[in-house]
Amino acid sequence: MKRFFAGLDAYSDRMGVEIARAVDWSRHASFTDLGGARGNLAAVLVKEHPHLTAGVFDLERTRPLFTEHTTRLGLDGRVAFTGGDFFTDDIPKADVIVLGHILHGFDTDRRRELLNRVFAAVNPGGRVLVYDRMIDDERRDPERLLSSLHMRLVSQDGSEYRVGDLRTWLAGAGFADSTAQPLLGTHTLVTAVR
């Protein structure tokens, strides 16, 4: 697990810097990284924006790795961990909820269900941030389509999804004013307001 998370950390370092710059964090006081593993993305964001109160929501078995990692980064007590399951436990309330590489692991019904739960957890006036290797609406980008095929092979129900589909699911959950922008040349960040 540590080796796997180390690979995720190398990636989330770059993604965290991009997200730190792409979003106006001055409007928000708190965020939760849903499925945030050992807290690396959250660590990058709080280093870039020290005013933020940060949290990670992931399976309880991840807690020891989270504690070890955030302590090593000098952020012990700066990023909170909540253990639980996306679909059965309450998602911690925050101004912003981040879902990175989460929705592609589920089928459409579960994606909608999770976004409804996220809507309930985002404070009024807050946002949801979703990043993934989303498929362009015209389905012209072969790398994104190949990524979707890969998800189909390694996940029972997962696949990438189109930006337009995500915007529809977000609106169905109650979010408004969704926008999409590229990240790192390989991903798309979609944000929406509660």
Side-chain angles (χ1 to χ4, degrees), residues 1-154:
M1 256 182 104
K2 283 185 179 181
R3 279 196 300 262
F4 175 71
F5 283 156
L8 292 179
D9 292 347
Y11 187 76
S12 64
D13 281 342
R14 293 176 47 228
M15 188 60 74
V17 170
E18 287 276 316
I19 292 172
R21 295 177 183 160
V23 174
D24 181 2
W25 290 96
S26 67
R27 298 177 178 189
H28 308 295
S30 62
F31 75 91
T32 296
D33 186 8
L34 208 64
R38 60 183 193 171
N40 203 67
L41 181 83
V44 173
L45 291 176
V46 296
K47 286 179 182 177
E48 294 284 327
H49 300 285
H51 73 282
L52 291 170
T53 300
V56 166
F57 183 75
D58 210 319
L59 295 172
E60 185 60 41
R61 68 178 181 234
T62 308
R63 185 185 297 271
L65 298 171
F66 167 88
T67 302
E68 177 185 54
H69 187 66
T70 54
T71 299
R72 189 173 51 77
L73 294 175
L75 295 171
D76 188 29
R78 185 75 179 82
V79 181
F81 184 90
T82 303
D85 181 286
F86 300 156
F87 295 101
T88 58
D89 297 307
D90 290 338
I91 296 170
K93 298 271 188 188
D95 291 345
V96 177
I97 303 226
V98 180
L99 292 89
H101 299 139
I102 299 297
L103 294 180
H104 71 185
F106 302 108
D107 65 26
T108 300
D109 289 341
R110 295 291 266 178
R111 291 170 184 164
R112 287 184 174 129
E113 180 184 351
L114 182 54
L115 290 172
N116 286 332
R117 293 176 57 77
V118 167
F119 182 82
V122 173
N123 294 328
R127 311 186 155 264
V128 62
L129 311 179
V130 181
Y131 67 88
D132 248 324
R133 293 191 73 163
M134 294 174 211
I135 299 170
D136 57 300
D137 288 334
E138 296 77 26
R139 293 188 166 111
R140 292 187 182 146
D141 185 331
E143 285 188 35
R144 307 272 179 124
L145 293 171
L146 187 58
S147 178
S148 185
L149 177 60
H150 178 258
M151 281 304 300
R152 282 274 188 212
L153 294 173
V154 300

